[in-house]
Amino acid sequence: MKNVDYIIVGDGYAALFFAHQLTKNKKSFVIFSESRKSASQISAGIINPVVLKKFTTFWLAQEQLDFLKISLGEIEKYTGINYLIDASIHRIFHDENEQKLWLKKSQTSELSSFLSDNFKPLEDVKNDFSTGLVKQSARLNVHGFFNDLFGFHESNAQLIKEKFNYNEVDAQNSIYQDFQFKNIIFCEGMGVKNNPYFSDIPVIPNKGHHIRVKLSHPILEDITIKKKHFLFPLNNGLHFYGGTYDREQLHEHIDQSAVEQLQNGLSEFYLNDFDIEEIHFGFRPTVTDRRPIVGRHSQHYNLYVFNGLGARGILNGCYFSKNLYDFIENDVPLPGEISLERFKN
């Protein structure tokens, strides 16, 4: 029998950022990964403190940005790489009214640290009304982050590449297969719907597509361009463009309508030819109040859930992993805004 402090089930941002908390605090753990590409692993990796449709921010945005930088610095100490890409978002304005609204909001105390009041025209794309720069925005090197951290955990015998079997959990005696554990953390995204312990949590699948394209004429600056969706360069000569949001078409194959939506969206501001080289999709676990779901099972106090990160998986996964760790290890109450208890009558 192997003794571990934690079993983590899942392989997205929630799982790996919680694993970082355990690594930092010298806790023993294993991660069960099915070795399938989760929604996290094909995500854009956008780090963005602003809702770019409405030019608003969100709960704890600055705190989450600050904590992410600290955490990525800590992760760099054991992988040797900083996965933060300092490439700001430039939002293309649709019209003069959007430009005026952005300028007005950039003067407010809530948004002055996020919205630049200096507009910048871009040379390589159509932007008749210029663009607004999102201060403190960036990207995560998604491929490097997951590839290197899986490699790190595998080299430390912390990664188990197999499907977790709920039927083999003996919660009463804290035994799973040949592991004696203290706690299990379920970080499964939409896979939670097959979890007999937490299948009733109110996560809603949101299907997102993105395309990887080869541009016929280069965009010279390494920035993230946003109009309807995000466009930015990848390391392999392609550009990422996406992603869509769909709560209706939830089947497990590509939606041609989503691909057409992306083609049309890119063509609005990139006026040259491009070829679609790859199409990807995944299912984001979202919650109606746009807050993660973190908490403990009502009967089995050694079973926990960390889910519902939505489209802000990087920021939510990083920041709230510490809330979960402190809740378990230090008896610090979870914020009511993210607690599983908020859904109970």
Side-chain angles (χ1 to χ4, degrees), residues 99 180-181 200 216:
Q99 197 181 64
Q180 181 82 52
F181 63 85
D200 60 342
S216 60

Side-chain angles (χ1 to χ4, degrees), residues 303-319:
L303 305 183
Y304 296 82
V305 67
F306 186 14
N307 209 310
L309 303 188
R312 299 192 190 103
I314 297 169
L315 291 172
N316 283 336
C318 182
Y319 188 82

Side-chain angles (χ1 to χ4, degrees), residues 53 206-209 228-230 243-247 261 284 286 311:
K53 280 187 178 180
N206 186 312
K207 189 175 185 179
H209 287 71
K228 291 181 177 176
H229 308 287
F230 293 102
T244 61
Y245 292 84
D246 192 343
R247 291 191 173 92
Q261 178 185 340
R284 311 174 187 91
T286 64

Side-chain angles (χ1 to χ4, degrees), residues 13 28 35 108 140 160 196 303:
Y13 290 123
S28 59
S35 299
T108 65
L140 186 76
I160 299 175
L303 305 183

